[in-house]
Amino acid sequence: MGDRGGTILHSSNGHYSFTISVILFLTFTSFSITHVAASIHDYQNETFIHRANSFFFHGGSEGLYASKLTSSNTTQLSEEKSLNGKSFIRFESITFRRTKESAEKTNAMQQKTGLVEAIIVKVRDRRNIGGAYLNSDAICCTPELAKEGSCKLGEVIIRENPDDLDGPKRIQTFFEGQNEEAKMVIQTVDITSTGMYYLYFMFCDPQLKDTVISGRTVWRNPDGYLPGKMMPLMTFFGLMSLAYLFLGLVWFLWFVQYWKDVIQLHYHITAVIGLGMCEMALWYFEYANFNSTGSRPMVITLWAVTFTAVKKTVSRLLILVVSMGYGVVRPTLGGITSRVLLLGVVYFVASEALELVEHLGNINDFSGKARLFLVLPVAILDACFILWIFSSLSKTLEKLQIRKSTAKLELYRKFTNSLAVTVLLSVLWIGYELYFNASDPLSELWRRAWIIPSFWTLLAYALLLVICILWAPSQNPTRYAYSEETGDDFDEEAITLTGSAVKVSGDMATMLERKERKTSVTSTTDHLVFGLGEDREEDKRE
């Protein structure tokens, strides 16, 4: 958290590293959910970081909407109901503990022997923290600035504006005498304006070095504990659950209607639809539980993360085997089955590890190298999938052209075009995402951040929808199903993507005519080679 917190104090520093995002998102993928720890921030003996002439600990940052109700409107309501419509940051059981050596250096008779301040500031007001407006690099008040009357010695410099009631807020806690502990008074700070809020615990006295903080803070939005940037995602996941349910219902009706003509590929598509349905439902319930309790439910989150990793893996494998012509050009994958499965298993393990860290931890606490270590394997495996998919598609199209399988060739051309459009949209969106994050390092545009992961979910759904339409069960499965080489050539030239029973009858007649021609040619050959054709006919007549 220190790196993230230091950014707002020195906003010129970079906030996120996206050097490998282009590879990571090139294939259709499930969303990458915005990761935060929780709306209940727990601190367990956390240390302070030295910056300029101050020491600070980043207590959290979230997008908060303004309260819908004021305190005066809720005094008559019960405690639980009074929370509805209220937005606040509450400090609970916050304790500061300094070292014994630091405590012994103070005067036992002195009432205030150390000061720790809790600073709540919106991103837009970040320049009001520190001495920038006084042409000073200091964060804490210096003797020179104190003499000028600009600030109080020992306190953090805050530019206060009496006309701005929503400006930075400061809450002070003092050590008394030689006590090693100082407890912060339990209190609630109401949020009266919408914005991205940062919380810092800071002190200026070097003698308090090695002081640690314990306790927790509770952050709440008007509609629940879900952070502001995640709130729209709960609704989005609910709608996507309905979308997958609708797709699953239509696919099931197709499946039942043409169950005699179902091929193996249809079972793979069914599995992806089912996984997507469960994934979206689990994320919706995870967010709903998070919103009502303030903490991520460990079991539901673990299941949601696992379903996400499984779906991403199976989806990629589905596109890969389709690109190889499985069930269309070849009946099995043959000797490459083990390699396909190995790639799938490795991708699942890498994706599961990344998802677990993102959603059960706080990836912002990791250094750049640690993030690279987690993301790089998934990015490399995604690149392997991309190369293998398009290489296989090229070979499949070439085979279909050689065999003159017009219907299947048309099918795969549509599929290739769909993949090309998906990749193009992915590249364009990655460019927008890079621009979005580069231009908003402090999450000032947090109310639009939910669109970034939502796009990838919609793109994954759209590509799955295309596959369902192209390979939908029908009464003419031979338009894409694998058949023997001899029959494949005849069938493909006759049966088109819009074939009918009448057309099939015409095809059978054409096949019989070809067989008669073949018999005639064979008889003529026997006559010319062996000279027995006319003799046999004469013997029969006799």
Side-chain angles (χ1 to χ4, degrees):
M1 289 184 184
D3 294 338
R4 181 182 177 93
T7 306
I8 194 172
L9 297 176
H10 289 73
S11 57
S12 60
N13 295 337
H15 191 59
Y16 290 109
S17 174
F18 292 95
T19 55
I20 56 177
S21 295
V22 174
I23 299 177
L24 183 61
F25 291 109
L26 274 179
T27 54
F28 85 95
T29 178
S30 297
F31 53 88
S32 177
I33 301 175
T34 306
H35 35 261
V36 298
S39 284
I40 298 178
H41 298 260
D42 288 303
Y43 318 124
Q44 298 180 357
N45 295 324
E46 309 289 347
T47 59
F48 287 72
I49 298 173
H50 183 249
R51 182 64 55 87
N53 63 338
S54 69
F55 296 82
F56 79 93
F57 168 72
H58 179 224
S61 57
E62 288 185 16
L64 295 175
Y65 291 94
S67 298
K68 295 179 181 179
L69 300 174
T70 60
S71 300
S72 59
N73 298 116
T74 58
T75 52
Q76 302 298 326
L77 302 177
S78 65
E79 181 179 355
E80 182 178 353
K81 290 183 178 180
S82 66
L83 295 178
N84 294 331
K86 292 192 66 176
S87 181
F88 59 79
I89 300 175
R90 184 167 60 229
F91 297 85
E92 296 182 355
S93 61
I94 299 294
T95 302
F96 305 103
R97 184 177 293 105
R98 59 183 173 181
T99 61
K100 184 177 182 180
E101 293 77 9
S102 175
E104 290 176 347
K105 293 179 182 179
T106 61
N107 186 348
M109 303 301 294
Q110 191 174 350
Q111 186 177 6
K112 299 178 180 179
T113 56
L115 170 64
V116 182
E117 297 181 287
I119 309 294
I120 301 175
V121 58
K122 286 191 292 188
V123 171
R124 71 176 189 183
D125 297 327
R126 61 187 179 276
R127 292 179 179 84
N128 293 335
I129 303 294
Y133 74 100
L134 299 173
N135 298 320
S136 172
D137 294 330
I139 297 176
C140 290
C141 188
T142 61
E144 293 78 12
L145 293 175
K147 288 181 180 180
E148 297 174 1
S150 302
C151 54
K152 293 182 180 180
L153 188 63
E155 295 184 0
V156 176
I157 302 173
I158 296 181
R159 184 181 185 180
E160 298 180 354
N161 184 359
D163 298 329
D164 184 10
L165 300 179
D166 299 322
K169 295 177 176 60
R170 131 176 31 224
I171 302 173
Q172 297 182 331
T173 302
F174 292 92
F175 286 94
E176 296 181 358
Q178 292 186 333
N179 293 339
E180 295 181 19
E181 288 189 357
K183 294 185 180 294
M184 188 174 180
V185 177
I186 297 177
Q187 56 187 295
T188 300
V189 177
D190 291 329
I191 303 300
T192 56
S193 65
T194 300
M196 172 61 70
Y197 285 83
Y198 279 73
L199 169 63
Y200 296 96
F201 295 95
M202 306 179 69
F203 60 82
C204 302
D205 188 355
Q207 291 187 2
L208 293 179
K209 185 180 178 181
D210 298 327
T211 296
V212 296
I213 178 176
S214 300
R216 72 175 191 172
T217 56
V218 179
W219 305 54
R220 193 183 192 280
N221 269 293
D223 296 321
Y225 292 98
L226 203 61
K229 64 167 60 178
M230 298 175 69
M231 189 70 70
L233 285 173
M234 182 173 69
T235 303
F236 174 76
F237 291 142
L239 294 175
M240 287 305 302
S241 299
L242 296 178
Y244 270 98
L245 182 63
F246 176 76
L247 178 60
L249 179 61
V250 174
W251 184 259
F252 175 76
L253 294 177
W254 270 341
F255 211 87
V256 172
Q257 185 177 1
Y258 302 108
W259 66 273
K260 292 183 179 180
D261 300 315
V262 168
I263 62 175
Q264 192 68 28
L265 186 62
H266 291 142
Y267 292 100
H268 292 267
I269 297 175
T270 303
V272 175
I273 295 175
L275 287 171
M277 197 183 307
C278 294
E279 178 195 18
M280 293 297 106
L282 282 171
W283 280 121
Y284 173 77
F285 287 117
E286 196 265 358
Y287 273 47
N289 191 292
F290 189 178
N291 190 47
S292 61
T293 63
S295 301
R296 307 200 82 150
M298 188 69 67
V299 176
I300 299 179
T301 304
L302 183 61
W303 275 105
V305 163
T306 303
F307 267 92
T308 297
V310 171
K311 185 204 169 225
K312 289 170 67 175
T313 303
V314 175
S315 298
R316 284 159 174 74
L317 291 177
L318 173 63
I319 293 181
L320 180 59
V321 299
V322 168
S323 302
M324 290 178 175
Y326 172 69
V328 179
V329 176
R330 56 170 73 183
T332 64
L333 296 180
I336 62 174
T337 302
S338 57
R339 282 186 290 170
V340 172
L341 292 177
L342 178 62
L343 179 61
V345 170
V346 174
Y347 184 85
F348 169 75
V349 173
S351 180
E352 177 79 358
L354 179 61
E355 295 286 340
L356 284 173
V357 172
E358 285 186 347
H359 300 294
L360 296 182
N362 190 349
I363 201 169
N364 291 321
D365 292 339
F366 287 73
S367 65
K369 291 182 179 180
R371 287 199 299 270
L372 186 65
F373 177 78
L374 291 168
V375 176
L376 189 59
V378 179
I380 293 175
L381 292 171
D382 270 326
C384 293
F385 269 111
I386 294 172
L387 294 175
W388 203 352
I389 285 171
F390 281 97
S391 175
S392 301
L393 267 178
S394 177
K395 293 178 182 178
T396 301
L397 288 171
E398 185 179 354
K399 287 180 182 179
L400 293 174
Q401 287 177 340
I402 293 174
R403 297 177 184 177
K404 297 182 180 180
S405 303
T406 55
K408 293 178 182 178
L409 183 60
E410 181 68 18
L411 183 72
Y412 267 84
R413 280 176 177 168
K414 292 181 179 179
F415 178 62
T416 303
N417 291 337
S418 300
L419 277 182
V421 171
T422 301
V423 172
L424 178 61
L425 291 175
S426 298
V427 172
L428 293 176
W429 192 255
I430 289 170
Y432 172 74
E433 185 173 350
L434 291 171
Y435 167 77
F436 182 87
N437 288 283
S439 61
D440 185 38
L442 299 177
S443 300
E444 292 181 84
L445 303 176
W446 56 276
R447 279 181 283 188
R448 285 188 284 169
W450 68 275
I451 300 175
I452 300 295
S454 300
F455 173 82
W456 300 111
T457 305
L458 289 174
L459 191 62
Y461 182 82
L463 189 54
L464 178 60
L465 187 62
V466 169
I467 293 176
C468 289
I469 294 174
L470 292 179
W471 275 271
S474 68
Q475 60 185 359
N476 289 324
T478 50
R479 76 176 190 261
Y480 48 66
Y482 173 81
S483 57
E484 296 296 333
E485 295 297 328
T486 55
D488 208 45
D489 290 87
F490 293 145
D491 293 346
E492 291 299 334
E493 292 181 302
I495 303 178
T496 64
L497 289 172
T498 58
S500 61
V502 176
K503 185 67 178 176
V504 173
S505 300
D507 297 338
M508 295 301 295
T510 303
M511 293 172 60
L512 291 173
E513 183 179 350
R514 290 179 179 178
K515 289 183 178 180
E516 289 176 1
R517 290 177 182 175
K518 186 176 179 181
T519 304
S520 175
V521 171
T522 303
S523 299
T524 303
T525 303
D526 292 342
H527 171 73
L528 293 174
V529 177
F530 299 104
L532 298 177
E534 293 182 1
D535 294 339
R536 288 179 178 175
E537 291 297 326
E538 290 177 357
D539 292 339
K540 288 180 181 179
R541 283 195 294 268
E542 293 177 356

